[in-house]
């Protein structure tokens, strides 16, 4: 983790063609306002000023709905960025010519969101009939192009509905040609907070099912991400992932919190016309997570980011037992 270089997110998706039950971006009007302000000058400035980044990732909303995505990816390729990625539901990638165009433009790493191994499960979670078929066809198209040096990863948000099916989801995705299967534990905000009782499993339940799955697939290229490490003690370290740090940029006029940040840290203001503010993931997440005094006794304290406050408000601290050093 210490050796990794900077990862930069470019907010490109002002809209989305799924309607996920657990979407963190519940305020779609605000998302539209923020992401619509990413234009050619914004992307050029990011590429000029972040040329040393390890990865440029086009994300937020559904980036493939932005007609400028292939052009911006080609600019990143021209800037010499080694890893150019997109976070996508892959529905647009079911059109083979479009998938080929993205690969030709320079995108060499695909993070595909898929939340089940069959249509009934996936479509019910993204609340979009027919989405599963398009997403799986998109994955197949990208898998068929891996000879050009692509990496194909998937992201499955763990819910009460799909938790019993970890093994089936893993086998299904690996058979499609996926390199790494990431099981993302939900962040308890946005719609995941609105529908918390309906869809959010307890961390200890996830850890229990993860142990069963990894016992059955000890060599699995699968990773459980954003779950407190004290609850997964006993799982192989290899399969316990982390949420990567990243930087992204929003308009200075993007909201009350953004305006306050520029007052607290004037150096965060940047952009082609000083119209952007640089944000790190921790700037957004730290205020929403908590630790207690006992956490200082845990061997994971230095790398643990804490527990979502919205989770603690439902379940308290009972599950979180510090692991002795």
């Amino acid at each position: 983790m210490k050796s990794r270089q900077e990862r930069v997110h470019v907010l490109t998706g002002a809209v989305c063609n799924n309607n996920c039950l657990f979407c963190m971006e519940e305020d779609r009007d605000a998302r539209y306002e923020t992401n619509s302000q990413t234009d050619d000058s914004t992307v050029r400035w990011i590429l000029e000023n972040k040329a040393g980044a390890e990865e440029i990732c086009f994300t937020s909303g559904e980036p493939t709905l932005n007609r400028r995505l292939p052009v911006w990816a080609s600019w990143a390729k021209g800037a010499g960025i080694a890893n150019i990625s997109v976070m996508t539901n892959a529905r647009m990638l079911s059109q083979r010519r479009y998938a080929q165009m993205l690969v030709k433009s320079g995108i060499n790493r695909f993070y595909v969101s898929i939340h089940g191994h069959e249509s009934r499960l996936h479509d019910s979670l993204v609340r979009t009939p027919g989405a599963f078929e398009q997403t799986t066809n998109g994955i197949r198209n990208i898998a068929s192009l891996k000879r050009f040096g692509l990496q194909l990863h998937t992201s499955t948000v763990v819910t009460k509905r799909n938790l019993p099916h970890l093994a089936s989801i893993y086998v299904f995705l690996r058979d499609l040609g996926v390199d790494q299967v990431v099981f993302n534990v939900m962040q308890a905000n946005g719609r995941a907070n609105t529908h918390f009782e309906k869809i959010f499993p307890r961390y200890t339940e996830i850890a229990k099912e993860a142990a069963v799955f990894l016992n059955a697939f000890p060599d699995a290229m699968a990773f459980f991400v954003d779950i407190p490490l004290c609850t997964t003690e006993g799982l192989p370290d290899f399969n316990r992932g982390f949420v990567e740090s990243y930087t992204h940029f929003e308009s200075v006029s993007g909201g009350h919190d953004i305006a306050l940040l520029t007052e607290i840290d004037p150096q965060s203001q940047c952009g082609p016309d000083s119209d952007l503010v640089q944000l790190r993931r921790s700037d957004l997440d730290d205020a929403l997570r908590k630790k207690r005094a006992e956490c200082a006794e845990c061997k994971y304290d230095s790398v643990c980011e804490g527990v979502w406050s919205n989770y603690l408000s439902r379940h308290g601290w009972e599950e979180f037992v510090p692991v002795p050093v």
Side-chain angles (χ1 to χ4, degrees):
M1 292 171 65
K2 292 180 180 179
S3 66
R4 294 184 69 86
Q5 296 174 312
E6 189 171 41
R7 180 180 181 183
V8 178
H9 282 189
V10 180
L11 308 183
T12 58
V15 294
C16 186
N17 50 356
N18 279 349
N19 189 28
C20 297
L21 189 61
F22 41 74
C23 183
M24 293 182 296
E25 298 174 329
E26 186 171 33
D27 188 350
R28 291 198 166 192
D29 290 339
R31 199 243 329 268
Y32 183 87
E33 179 67 25
T34 297
N35 294 5
S36 293
Q37 297 184 55
T38 300
D39 58 15
D40 287 357
S41 63
T42 304
V43 176
R44 285 194 183 279
W45 183 90
I46 291 173
L47 293 174
E48 289 169 2
N49 287 273
K50 296 295 181 180
E54 179 179 280
E55 180 174 351
I56 293 289
C57 181
F58 296 101
T59 184
S60 191
E62 177 45 51
T64 61
L65 299 180
N66 190 318
R67 297 174 69 102
R68 298 297 291 169
L69 176 62
V71 175
W72 293 343
S74 71
W75 292 352
K77 181 180 180 180
I81 303 297
N83 298 304
I84 305 168
S85 61
V86 61
M87 291 188 181
T88 175
N89 60 35
R91 291 178 58 193
M92 283 286 290
L93 301 177
S94 64
Q95 301 176 36
R96 186 167 180 81
R97 289 183 63 183
Y98 180 73
Q100 291 171 327
M101 180 170 63
L102 286 190
V103 172
K104 186 175 182 179
S105 73
I107 294 180
N108 54 20
R109 185 176 289 174
F110 291 81
Y111 302 110
V112 178
S113 299
I114 183 168
H115 311 293
H117 60 296
E118 45 88 23
S119 59
R120 182 177 180 182
L121 177 57
H122 175 82
D123 288 358
S124 71
L125 288 169
V126 303
R127 299 190 295 190
T128 307
F132 178 78
E133 182 178 1
Q134 290 184 329
T135 294
T136 53
N137 285 338
I139 291 173
R140 290 187 181 96
N141 281 336
I142 295 303
S144 72
L145 298 170
K146 283 171 60 178
R147 64 186 182 278
F148 297 109
L150 310 180
Q151 297 179 43
L152 175 56
H153 301 181
T154 54
S155 171
T156 299
V157 174
V158 178
T159 70
K160 288 183 177 179
R161 295 182 190 176
N162 59 19
L163 181 59
H165 306 291
L166 299 180
S168 297
I169 292 170
Y170 176 77
V171 170
F172 174 74
L173 294 175
R174 291 286 278 171
D175 285 348
L176 285 178
V178 173
D179 300 312
Q180 294 185 14
V181 177
V182 175
F183 292 108
N184 272 299
V185 178
M186 270 185 287
Q187 299 184 12
N189 43 33
R191 288 180 181 164
N193 185 50
T194 300
H195 303 292
F196 188 98
E197 284 74 17
K198 183 188 299 184
I199 60 174
F200 207 129
R202 295 189 71 144
Y203 289 133
T204 46
E205 294 171 350
I206 298 171
K208 181 179 178 180
E209 291 295 333
V212 172
F213 163 65
L214 292 172
N215 283 336
F217 297 89
D219 299 319
M221 287 297 293
F223 306 92
F224 291 84
V225 172
D226 207 6
I227 179 169
L229 293 170
C230 62
T231 65
T232 59
E233 179 73 355
L235 295 185
D237 283 342
F238 177 79
N239 303 105
R240 299 196 289 174
F242 58 92
V243 181
E244 293 185 322
S245 297
Y246 60 82
T247 293
H248 77 269
F249 299 87
E250 292 188 22
S251 169
V252 171
S253 60
H256 180 66
D257 291 341
I258 303 299
L260 286 176
L261 183 61
T262 61
E263 291 187 39
I264 296 169
D265 180 13
Q267 292 186 342
S268 67
Q269 194 162 342
C270 54
D273 297 305
S274 295
D275 53 350
L276 300 175
V277 59
Q278 176 173 294
L279 296 169
R280 300 189 182 279
R281 183 173 61 80
S282 56
D283 294 328
L284 303 176
D285 288 358
D286 283 357
L288 303 176
R289 300 180 189 256
K290 288 183 179 179
K291 288 187 176 183
R292 57 176 176 170
E294 290 89 335
C295 293
E297 304 169 6
C298 182
K299 72 177 184 180
Y300 298 118
D301 182 47
S302 64
V303 293
C304 177
E305 297 181 321
V307 185
W308 294 103
S309 299
N310 287 332
Y311 185 96
L312 291 170
S313 69
R314 271 86 168 192
H315 299 309
W317 287 100
E318 181 183 1
E319 293 170 275
F320 310 101
V321 180
V323 180
V325 178

